[in-house]
Amino acid sequence: MYSVFISYSIQGRVMSHYGYHDKGDFLLHPEEALFLMDVGTLRVCHHGIPLSIQEAFQYFLQDGGDITLSHYLVYAYLNRLGYIVRRWVVQIVSTSI
């Protein structure tokens, strides 16, 4: 998980299609944070200093991260077309015989 989310401010965008709640915290996936920063809706700070969009891209798209640049570009393109893009989470259900 990314520890850069120390503080953020959301400006004017409906957040019902972004992020998820985990143990009372509101969290964003890296592609969601990048997209919201790109459209000027989200400001992410690290140690009280706002990250530029270039710094955020470098941080979130680093080798070994959750997403690639291609992943983000497809996500952003579909969002701009009006699609609601969510990550698919596979749930494994075990059955006892």
Side-chain angles (χ1 to χ4, degrees):
M1 189 56 64
Y2 297 93
S3 61
V4 73
F5 288 108
I6 294 173
S7 64
Y8 59 88
S9 63
I10 300 167
Q11 303 165 354
R13 182 129 175 152
V14 177
M15 294 302 294
S16 62
H17 304 304
Y18 302 99
Y20 60 98
H21 292 277
D22 184 31
K23 299 176 185 172
D25 293 327
F26 177 73
L27 304 171
L28 292 169
H29 291 292
E31 63 274 17
E32 294 171 324
L34 286 171
F35 178 75
L36 293 172
M37 287 179 74
D38 197 21
V39 297
T41 304
L42 178 73
R43 183 182 59 185
V44 178
C45 297
H46 182 58
H47 298 295
I49 301 169
L51 289 178
S52 70
I53 190 70
Q54 292 85 3
E55 291 170 325
F57 269 91
Q58 286 177 339
Y59 186 79
F60 291 124
L61 300 179
Q62 63 188 345
D63 291 337
D66 286 354
I67 64 169
T68 63
L69 179 59
S70 296
H71 178 115
Y72 171 74
L73 292 174
V74 170
Y75 175 86
Y77 177 73
L78 291 172
N79 255 294
R80 286 185 176 93
L81 289 177
Y83 289 94
I84 298 170
V85 183
R86 304 291 294 181
R87 280 194 179 189
W88 178 258
V89 179
V90 177
Q91 296 180 357
I92 299 174
V93 178
S94 64
T95 58
S96 301
I97 297 178

